[in-house]
Amino acid sequence: GKNGNAIGFLIDHAGMNFVEAVKDLAQQYGMQVPEEDVSPQERARAAEQRERQHTLTSVLEKAGEAYRRHLKDTPRAIAYLKGRGLSGEIARQFGLGYAPPGWRSLASTFARYDDPLLVDSGLVILQPEEDGSDEKRYDRFRDRIMFPIRNVKGECIGFGGRVLGDEKPKYLNSPETPVFSKGHELYGLFEARAALRQEGFVLVTEGYMDVVALAQLGFPNAVATLGTACTPEHVQKLFRFTDAVVFSFDGD
């Protein structure tokens, strides 16, 4: 229902600047944006990097679908979310899921559990044996409520996992990967985009559950930092959507 053109839409909808919007549209249609002083080698490297990022987000999306299926089949996890006051509707909106307790649950989702992409995306941990024998591989997230972390385009770039009890660590994030950097991303920003303009301000909190609970209670304009201090990159990203930032961190 918006007027204008595709570039203007992306600037508004995804908080991109003009150049980012042009490059994003070009990438979707296999076109190359002309750039001065860029060698063919650099252009090829950039194209290869974009393709790799797309492959990693596809792997993460597939894992997210599996986590959502597991949640539906796990009454204990559903009861936990209901106990925190969350509805099924809000869980669907944020794509919440559940990682089962098994060490290799993702083996039932991916045909090749030894695929390097599972390690590169942060889903699987690769641990070399001390005696030099075969390496151990196991799921990073086990027996946790799963919160998919999405970029402003809505692509899954990582996960946050929360235990159902009091085990430590309470929260576990995806590691830094080619598609995920904690200092640059804000949880819930994709879901909050429209509300930020409507409400006129953003509420910055500390955790995933803060964002989802606030959305449930009528504050859909909340986002969270991902276990890091608020960085200049975070603030710069927020100012693409709103001029007013309200910090609401925990007392500690």
PDB file of all heavy atoms in Angstrom, residues 92-114:
ATOM      1  N   ARG A  92       4.638 -17.556  17.577  1.00  0.00           N
ATOM      2  CA  ARG A  92       4.713 -17.692  16.110  1.00  0.00           C
ATOM      3  C   ARG A  92       5.308 -16.438  15.486  1.00  0.00           C
ATOM      4  O   ARG A  92       6.113 -16.513  14.563  1.00  0.00           O
ATOM      5  CB  ARG A  92       3.319 -17.946  15.523  1.00  0.00           C
ATOM      6  CG  ARG A  92       2.882 -19.397  15.546  1.00  0.00           C
ATOM      7  CD  ARG A  92       1.615 -19.615  14.739  1.00  0.00           C
ATOM      8  NE  ARG A  92       0.468 -18.901  15.307  1.00  0.00           N
ATOM      9  CZ  ARG A  92      -0.274 -19.349  16.308  1.00  0.00           C
ATOM     10  NH1 ARG A  92       0.005 -20.521  16.853  1.00  0.00           N
ATOM     11  NH2 ARG A  92      -1.294 -18.643  16.759  1.00  0.00           N
ATOM     12  N   GLN A  93       4.897 -15.286  15.998  1.00  0.00           N
ATOM     13  CA  GLN A  93       5.386 -14.019  15.439  1.00  0.00           C
ATOM     14  C   GLN A  93       6.910 -13.933  15.510  1.00  0.00           C
ATOM     15  O   GLN A  93       7.560 -13.471  14.570  1.00  0.00           O
ATOM     16  CB  GLN A  93       4.766 -12.849  16.199  1.00  0.00           C
ATOM     17  CG  GLN A  93       5.172 -11.490  15.668  1.00  0.00           C
ATOM     18  CD  GLN A  93       4.626 -10.355  16.540  1.00  0.00           C
ATOM     19  OE1 GLN A  93       3.567 -10.482  17.161  1.00  0.00           O
ATOM     20  NE2 GLN A  93       5.348  -9.261  16.612  1.00  0.00           N
ATOM     21  N   PHE A  94       7.478 -14.393  16.623  1.00  0.00           N
ATOM     22  CA  PHE A  94       8.932 -14.324  16.793  1.00  0.00           C
ATOM     23  C   PHE A  94       9.635 -15.622  16.370  1.00  0.00           C
ATOM     24  O   PHE A  94      10.851 -15.725  16.500  1.00  0.00           O
ATOM     25  CB  PHE A  94       9.265 -13.979  18.250  1.00  0.00           C
ATOM     26  CG  PHE A  94       9.062 -12.522  18.578  1.00  0.00           C
ATOM     27  CD1 PHE A  94       7.832 -12.055  19.007  1.00  0.00           C
ATOM     28  CD2 PHE A  94      10.086 -11.608  18.420  1.00  0.00           C
ATOM     29  CE1 PHE A  94       7.620 -10.711  19.308  1.00  0.00           C
ATOM     30  CE2 PHE A  94       9.901 -10.260  18.706  1.00  0.00           C
ATOM     31  CZ  PHE A  94       8.663  -9.812  19.146  1.00  0.00           C
ATOM     32  N   GLY A  95       8.868 -16.603  15.890  1.00  0.00           N
ATOM     33  CA  GLY A  95       9.460 -17.850  15.390  1.00  0.00           C
ATOM     34  C   GLY A  95      10.114 -18.697  16.459  1.00  0.00           C
ATOM     35  O   GLY A  95      11.097 -19.397  16.185  1.00  0.00           O
ATOM     36  N   LEU A  96       9.596 -18.666  17.689  1.00  0.00           N
ATOM     37  CA  LEU A  96      10.220 -19.403  18.782  1.00  0.00           C
ATOM     38  C   LEU A  96      10.180 -20.907  18.534  1.00  0.00           C
ATOM     39  O   LEU A  96       9.235 -21.430  17.929  1.00  0.00           O
ATOM     40  CB  LEU A  96       9.529 -19.092  20.119  1.00  0.00           C
ATOM     41  CG  LEU A  96       9.448 -17.626  20.541  1.00  0.00           C
ATOM     42  CD1 LEU A  96       8.982 -17.515  21.986  1.00  0.00           C
ATOM     43  CD2 LEU A  96      10.784 -16.924  20.368  1.00  0.00           C
ATOM     44  N   GLY A  97      11.218 -21.590  19.008  1.00  0.00           N
ATOM     45  CA  GLY A  97      11.301 -23.039  18.841  1.00  0.00           C
ATOM     46  C   GLY A  97      11.921 -23.688  20.062  1.00  0.00           C
ATOM     47  O   GLY A  97      12.069 -23.056  21.120  1.00  0.00           O
ATOM     48  N   TYR A  98      12.307 -24.943  19.903  1.00  0.00           N
ATOM     49  CA  TYR A  98      12.897 -25.694  21.018  1.00  0.00           C
ATOM     50  C   TYR A  98      13.954 -26.654  20.472  1.00  0.00           C
ATOM     51  O   TYR A  98      13.707 -27.381  19.508  1.00  0.00           O
ATOM     52  CB  TYR A  98      11.815 -26.481  21.762  1.00  0.00           C
ATOM     53  CG  TYR A  98      12.345 -27.441  22.803  1.00  0.00           C
ATOM     54  CD1 TYR A  98      12.930 -26.973  23.978  1.00  0.00           C
ATOM     55  CD2 TYR A  98      12.277 -28.819  22.597  1.00  0.00           C
ATOM     56  CE1 TYR A  98      13.428 -27.855  24.932  1.00  0.00           C
ATOM     57  CE2 TYR A  98      12.773 -29.706  23.545  1.00  0.00           C
ATOM     58  CZ  TYR A  98      13.345 -29.223  24.711  1.00  0.00           C
ATOM     59  OH  TYR A  98      13.845 -30.098  25.644  1.00  0.00           O
ATOM     60  N   ALA A  99      15.135 -26.615  21.076  1.00  0.00           N
ATOM     61  CA  ALA A  99      16.206 -27.554  20.719  1.00  0.00           C
ATOM     62  C   ALA A  99      16.151 -28.725  21.692  1.00  0.00           C
ATOM     63  O   ALA A  99      16.278 -28.515  22.897  1.00  0.00           O
ATOM     64  CB  ALA A  99      17.565 -26.860  20.795  1.00  0.00           C
ATOM     65  N   PRO A 100      15.946 -29.952  21.208  1.00  0.00           N
ATOM     66  CA  PRO A 100      15.846 -31.110  22.098  1.00  0.00           C
ATOM     67  C   PRO A 100      17.151 -31.362  22.848  1.00  0.00           C
ATOM     68  O   PRO A 100      18.208 -30.825  22.488  1.00  0.00           O
ATOM     69  CB  PRO A 100      15.544 -32.272  21.134  1.00  0.00           C
ATOM     70  CG  PRO A 100      15.108 -31.630  19.865  1.00  0.00           C
ATOM     71  CD  PRO A 100      15.787 -30.300  19.805  1.00  0.00           C
ATOM     72  N   PRO A 101      17.111 -32.193  23.898  1.00  0.00           N
ATOM     73  CA  PRO A 101      18.300 -32.409  24.732  1.00  0.00           C
ATOM     74  C   PRO A 101      19.391 -33.275  24.093  1.00  0.00           C
ATOM     75  O   PRO A 101      20.506 -33.315  24.583  1.00  0.00           O
ATOM     76  CB  PRO A 101      17.736 -33.088  25.988  1.00  0.00           C
ATOM     77  CG  PRO A 101      16.434 -33.669  25.561  1.00  0.00           C
ATOM     78  CD  PRO A 101      15.906 -32.807  24.474  1.00  0.00           C
ATOM     79  N   GLY A 102      19.103 -33.972  23.008  1.00  0.00           N
ATOM     80  CA  GLY A 102      20.098 -34.873  22.409  1.00  0.00           C
ATOM     81  C   GLY A 102      21.325 -34.148  21.898  1.00  0.00           C
ATOM     82  O   GLY A 102      21.274 -32.975  21.525  1.00  0.00           O
ATOM     83  N   TRP A 103      22.441 -34.869  21.863  1.00  0.00           N
ATOM     84  CA  TRP A 103      23.702 -34.267  21.414  1.00  0.00           C
ATOM     85  C   TRP A 103      23.732 -34.032  19.905  1.00  0.00           C
ATOM     86  O   TRP A 103      24.454 -33.177  19.418  1.00  0.00           O
ATOM     87  CB  TRP A 103      24.883 -35.160  21.812  1.00  0.00           C
ATOM     88  CG  TRP A 103      25.149 -35.121  23.280  1.00  0.00           C
ATOM     89  CD1 TRP A 103      24.645 -35.953  24.241  1.00  0.00           C
ATOM     90  CD2 TRP A 103      25.973 -34.185  23.985  1.00  0.00           C
ATOM     91  NE1 TRP A 103      25.088 -35.592  25.482  1.00  0.00           N
ATOM     92  CE2 TRP A 103      25.917 -34.506  25.357  1.00  0.00           C
ATOM     93  CE3 TRP A 103      26.758 -33.099  23.589  1.00  0.00           C
ATOM     94  CZ2 TRP A 103      26.602 -33.790  26.330  1.00  0.00           C
ATOM     95  CZ3 TRP A 103      27.452 -32.382  24.551  1.00  0.00           C
ATOM     96  CH2 TRP A 103      27.372 -32.739  25.903  1.00  0.00           C
ATOM     97  N   ARG A 104      22.944 -34.820  19.146  1.00  0.00           N
ATOM     98  CA  ARG A 104      22.985 -34.698  17.683  1.00  0.00           C
ATOM     99  C   ARG A 104      21.582 -34.646  17.080  1.00  0.00           C
ATOM    100  O   ARG A 104      21.295 -35.313  16.090  1.00  0.00           O
ATOM    101  CB  ARG A 104      23.764 -35.882  17.088  1.00  0.00           C
ATOM    102  CG  ARG A 104      25.259 -35.852  17.388  1.00  0.00           C
ATOM    103  CD  ARG A 104      25.984 -36.899  16.581  1.00  0.00           C
ATOM    104  NE  ARG A 104      27.414 -36.701  16.604  1.00  0.00           N
ATOM    105  CZ  ARG A 104      28.244 -37.055  15.614  1.00  0.00           C
ATOM    106  NH1 ARG A 104      27.775 -37.643  14.549  1.00  0.00           N
ATOM    107  NH2 ARG A 104      29.531 -36.829  15.718  1.00  0.00           N
ATOM    108  N   SER A 105      20.718 -33.855  17.659  1.00  0.00           N
ATOM    109  CA  SER A 105      19.337 -33.769  17.162  1.00  0.00           C
ATOM    110  C   SER A 105      19.281 -33.249  15.725  1.00  0.00           C
ATOM    111  O   SER A 105      18.404 -33.631  14.951  1.00  0.00           O
ATOM    112  CB  SER A 105      18.508 -32.860  18.065  1.00  0.00           C
ATOM    113  OG  SER A 105      18.419 -33.407  19.358  1.00  0.00           O
ATOM    114  N   LEU A 106      20.206 -32.377  15.357  1.00  0.00           N
ATOM    115  CA  LEU A 106      20.177 -31.800  14.014  1.00  0.00           C
ATOM    116  C   LEU A 106      20.510 -32.823  12.930  1.00  0.00           C
ATOM    117  O   LEU A 106      20.277 -32.570  11.746  1.00  0.00           O
ATOM    118  CB  LEU A 106      21.143 -30.610  13.921  1.00  0.00           C
ATOM    119  CG  LEU A 106      20.692 -29.333  14.641  1.00  0.00           C
ATOM    120  CD1 LEU A 106      21.802 -28.301  14.619  1.00  0.00           C
ATOM    121  CD2 LEU A 106      19.436 -28.759  13.994  1.00  0.00           C
ATOM    122  N   ALA A 107      21.023 -33.983  13.332  1.00  0.00           N
ATOM    123  CA  ALA A 107      21.317 -35.037  12.354  1.00  0.00           C
ATOM    124  C   ALA A 107      20.042 -35.521  11.668  1.00  0.00           C
ATOM    125  O   ALA A 107      20.088 -36.043  10.554  1.00  0.00           O
ATOM    126  CB  ALA A 107      22.031 -36.206  13.028  1.00  0.00           C
ATOM    127  N   SER A 108      18.903 -35.336  12.329  1.00  0.00           N
ATOM    128  CA  SER A 108      17.638 -35.736  11.711  1.00  0.00           C
ATOM    129  C   SER A 108      17.107 -34.662  10.770  1.00  0.00           C
ATOM    130  O   SER A 108      16.151 -34.887  10.028  1.00  0.00           O
ATOM    131  CB  SER A 108      16.588 -36.037  12.794  1.00  0.00           C
ATOM    132  OG  SER A 108      16.336 -34.862  13.563  1.00  0.00           O
ATOM    133  N   THR A 109      17.724 -33.479  10.790  1.00  0.00           N
ATOM    134  CA  THR A 109      17.288 -32.368   9.938  1.00  0.00           C
ATOM    135  C   THR A 109      18.165 -32.224   8.702  1.00  0.00           C
ATOM    136  O   THR A 109      17.684 -31.916   7.615  1.00  0.00           O
ATOM    137  CB  THR A 109      17.313 -31.041  10.740  1.00  0.00           C
ATOM    138  OG1 THR A 109      16.460 -31.180  11.871  1.00  0.00           O
ATOM    139  CG2 THR A 109      16.857 -29.861   9.897  1.00  0.00           C
ATOM    140  N   PHE A 110      19.470 -32.454   8.885  1.00  0.00           N
ATOM    141  CA  PHE A 110      20.417 -32.299   7.780  1.00  0.00           C
ATOM    142  C   PHE A 110      20.957 -33.668   7.353  1.00  0.00           C
ATOM    143  O   PHE A 110      21.356 -34.464   8.207  1.00  0.00           O
ATOM    144  CB  PHE A 110      21.573 -31.383   8.198  1.00  0.00           C
ATOM    145  CG  PHE A 110      21.132 -29.971   8.488  1.00  0.00           C
ATOM    146  CD1 PHE A 110      20.823 -29.568   9.788  1.00  0.00           C
ATOM    147  CD2 PHE A 110      21.011 -29.048   7.463  1.00  0.00           C
ATOM    148  CE1 PHE A 110      20.407 -28.275  10.053  1.00  0.00           C
ATOM    149  CE2 PHE A 110      20.594 -27.743   7.724  1.00  0.00           C
ATOM    150  CZ  PHE A 110      20.287 -27.357   9.018  1.00  0.00           C
ATOM    151  N   ALA A 111      20.956 -33.904   6.064  1.00  0.00           N
ATOM    152  CA  ALA A 111      21.385 -35.212   5.537  1.00  0.00           C
ATOM    153  C   ALA A 111      22.830 -35.523   5.919  1.00  0.00           C
ATOM    154  O   ALA A 111      23.180 -36.662   6.194  1.00  0.00           O
ATOM    155  CB  ALA A 111      21.215 -35.236   4.022  1.00  0.00           C
ATOM    156  N   ARG A 112      23.663 -34.487   5.945  1.00  0.00           N
ATOM    157  CA  ARG A 112      25.079 -34.681   6.293  1.00  0.00           C
ATOM    158  C   ARG A 112      25.392 -33.921   7.573  1.00  0.00           C
ATOM    159  O   ARG A 112      25.520 -32.687   7.552  1.00  0.00           O
ATOM    160  CB  ARG A 112      25.974 -34.165   5.165  1.00  0.00           C
ATOM    161  CG  ARG A 112      26.131 -35.096   3.986  1.00  0.00           C
ATOM    162  CD  ARG A 112      27.196 -34.555   3.039  1.00  0.00           C
ATOM    163  NE  ARG A 112      28.463 -34.303   3.715  1.00  0.00           N
ATOM    164  CZ  ARG A 112      29.317 -33.342   3.358  1.00  0.00           C
ATOM    165  NH1 ARG A 112      29.025 -32.520   2.371  1.00  0.00           N
ATOM    166  NH2 ARG A 112      30.456 -33.195   4.010  1.00  0.00           N
ATOM    167  N   TYR A 113      25.529 -34.626   8.665  1.00  0.00           N
ATOM    168  CA  TYR A 113      25.849 -33.966   9.935  1.00  0.00           C
ATOM    169  C   TYR A 113      27.291 -33.447   9.935  1.00  0.00           C
ATOM    170  O   TYR A 113      27.644 -32.575  10.712  1.00  0.00           O
ATOM    171  CB  TYR A 113      25.637 -34.932  11.103  1.00  0.00           C
ATOM    172  CG  TYR A 113      25.650 -34.263  12.463  1.00  0.00           C
ATOM    173  CD1 TYR A 113      24.595 -33.464  12.882  1.00  0.00           C
ATOM    174  CD2 TYR A 113      26.741 -34.418  13.322  1.00  0.00           C
ATOM    175  CE1 TYR A 113      24.614 -32.825  14.114  1.00  0.00           C
ATOM    176  CE2 TYR A 113      26.765 -33.793  14.563  1.00  0.00           C
ATOM    177  CZ  TYR A 113      25.697 -33.000  14.950  1.00  0.00           C
ATOM    178  OH  TYR A 113      25.712 -32.369  16.178  1.00  0.00           O
ATOM    179  N   ASP A 114      28.128 -33.998   9.049  1.00  0.00           N
ATOM    180  CA  ASP A 114      29.523 -33.543   8.963  1.00  0.00           C
ATOM    181  C   ASP A 114      29.698 -32.410   7.949  1.00  0.00           C
ATOM    182  O   ASP A 114      30.830 -32.043   7.615  1.00  0.00           O
ATOM    183  CB  ASP A 114      30.447 -34.711   8.618  1.00  0.00           C
ATOM    184  CG  ASP A 114      30.126 -35.340   7.255  1.00  0.00           C
ATOM    185  OD1 ASP A 114      29.050 -35.021   6.678  1.00  0.00           O
ATOM    186  OD2 ASP A 114      30.937 -36.157   6.771  1.00  0.00           O
TER     187      ASP A 114
END
